[in-house]
Amino acid sequence: MIRTLTYTVTEEEAGVSLLEWLRDKGCSRQVLAHLKNTKGLFKNGERPFAKEPVQSGDQIKLRLTEEAGSEGIVPVCLPFSVVYEDEDLLVIDKPAGLPVHPSINHYENTLANGVMWRCQQTGEPFPFRCINRLDAGTTGLLIIAKNMFSAAVLYSAMKKRKIKRTYLAVASGEIRKPGTVDLPIGRVSDSVIERCIDPEHGERAVTHYEPLAYGNGCTLLKLQLETGRTHQIRAHLASIGHPLMGDYKYGNISWNHQYETYGVKTQMLHSYELHFPQMPKPLENLSKNVFQARVPGKFYRLIKETAWEHGTQEALEVLH
């Protein structure tokens, strides 16, 4: 896969070194090293020195070349929906039960396998770079970068909390007022994946929640993340006494059994919306874009059939 980007230096940008100018455009160390090793950087058609200054009107061209996908990820035909695609990224609607990355127990049944198969079919290979993370049981929107430059820009935007992520969840008990959980999360000592509230060793984690509807012993929540810790929403809601429906790791098993008639087998958590800020080139087409993923079947059935005591209309609106 070859991605070529061309820029024109403006008067405001003139005078700084080419290296500083490239970093300001979003080039990471990996991108800079790639451009050097592949001789993929040009200024006014010539190979430049990184420390030389740029001048107004200079034409800067970046040529990114990646001819293979991720080694070790087997292409497998697996179903997932593409919400948006351009030369630089995919926005995917991930189904439940599909892990994102291969592991010992999930070598050929992950989203990465499915993306590699899709690359194989389109003849457009690129390494698998997932910008945000979702648990296997969580559904909804994921961002996949198609080249190292878009990955660097997207990782930076995510780290700076510029890409707004909104989730929908069904939690146990009634939550009648919006709130924020600001509690550090760390790994449980005897577990590889499980997390807990850890004031001493944990990393700061912030989750904002807003009840859309409540009734029948549960609450439909809209949540926004400031941080992206592993199992953040699951651990945070459990810590305030409202674990997710279907979450057998952090929730109450006897309570979860009440809702098995709805087909709930995994945590009721859905990555519902991604809102992109003003994005730099080459992702400027994403600026102020909002992508949504319709709630999956288990959500639809539960929301539609629950006897909400408050917020019936709000609950039904998320189905459309």
Side-chain angles (χ1 to χ4, degrees):
M1 180 178 182
I2 299 175
R3 182 71 167 107
T4 301
L5 302 170
T6 303
Y7 297 83
T8 301
V9 177
T10 66
E11 291 184 8
E12 293 78 11
E13 297 169 335
V16 302
S17 70
L18 177 59
L19 180 61
E20 184 179 349
W21 184 91
L22 289 168
R23 287 173 175 164
D24 186 61
K25 292 300 177 186
C27 288
S28 63
R29 290 182 185 178
Q30 181 190 19
V31 173
L32 292 171
H34 175 83
L35 292 172
K36 179 181 179 179
N37 294 335
T38 61
K39 300 180 180 180
L41 176 62
F42 303 88
K43 187 178 83 166
N44 300 324
E46 303 289 336
R47 295 272 297 133
F49 292 102
K51 294 184 179 180
E52 66 184 63
V54 295
Q55 303 298 330
S56 177
D58 282 348
Q59 297 291 312
I60 311 296
K61 184 168 77 171
L62 284 62
R63 180 183 168 90
L64 303 165
T65 306
E66 295 180 283
E67 298 180 350
S70 295
E71 293 184 9
I73 300 181
V74 181
V76 180
C77 181
L78 293 169
F80 60 84
S81 298
V82 175
V83 176
Y84 174 84
E85 181 177 14
D86 61 22
E87 289 184 273
D88 298 292
L89 82 162
L90 289 165
V91 178
I92 286 171
D93 184 0
K94 186 185 84 68
L98 189 65
V100 174
H101 296 95
S103 63
I104 294 175
N105 296 321
H106 298 282
Y107 182 66
E108 295 185 355
N109 62 327
T110 72
L111 180 66
N113 299 113
V115 171
M116 290 301 100
W117 183 86
R118 189 176 189 274
C119 289
Q120 190 179 74
Q121 304 309 301
T122 60
E124 188 182 45
F126 57 85
F128 183 75
R129 300 183 180 97
C130 191
I131 305 302
N132 56 324
R133 296 173 296 178
L134 295 178
D135 298 333
T138 302
T139 57
L141 298 173
L142 277 170
I143 307 168
I144 309 295
K146 294 173 70 172
N147 59 67
M148 64 178 67
F149 187 76
S150 63
V153 174
L154 288 164
Y155 277 132
S156 177
M158 190 69 75
K159 185 177 181 180
K160 295 175 181 177
R161 305 171 187 172
K162 291 182 177 180
I163 299 175
K164 304 297 182 184
R165 293 168 287 168
T166 301
Y167 290 76
L168 294 173
V170 180
S172 63
E174 293 186 0
I175 303 175
R176 301 193 174 203
K177 295 181 180 180
T180 297
V181 184
D182 186 348
L183 294 171
I185 292 177
R187 180 180 294 175
V188 173
S189 59
D190 59 349
S191 174
V192 174
I193 189 67
E194 189 173 355
R195 298 300 192 264
C196 64
I197 304 304
D198 186 348
E200 186 175 355
H201 302 292
E203 295 181 288
R204 190 184 182 210
V206 181
T207 304
H208 305 286
Y209 61 86
E210 175 189 349
L212 299 179
Y214 54 80
N216 198 24
C218 59
T219 302
L220 175 66
L221 292 172
K222 180 169 73 172
L223 306 108
Q224 288 193 328
L225 302 182
E226 282 194 24
T227 53
R229 310 301 177 201
T230 300
H231 292 188
Q232 177 173 320
I233 291 175
R234 299 168 66 185
H236 268 174
L237 289 179
S239 75
I240 61 172
H242 297 283
L244 293 174
M245 178 188 298
D247 193 343
Y248 294 91
K249 184 180 291 293
Y250 295 94
N252 182 296
I253 292 178
S254 62
W255 177 81
N256 278 310
H257 283 330
Q258 298 178 49
Y259 296 92
E260 288 185 349
T261 55
Y262 294 101
V264 175
K265 296 180 180 179
T266 59
Q267 64 269 12
M268 293 287 284
L269 183 60
H270 179 60
S271 176
Y272 175 65
E273 184 176 277
L274 291 172
H275 181 207
F276 288 85
Q278 190 70 33
M279 299 293 290
K281 187 176 180 179
L283 303 174
E284 67 270 28
N285 290 337
L286 287 177
S287 295
K288 300 181 180 179
N289 251 330
V290 178
F291 300 109
Q292 293 182 336
R294 295 189 65 180
V295 294
K298 63 180 181 180
F299 260 84
Y300 186 95
R301 184 180 174 196
L302 180 62
I303 293 171
K304 191 173 180 64
E305 296 184 13
T306 294
W308 302 107
E309 297 168 17
H310 174 80
T312 302
Q313 186 59 40
E314 290 82 353
L316 292 177
E317 282 179 359
V318 304
L319 301 177
H320 302 289

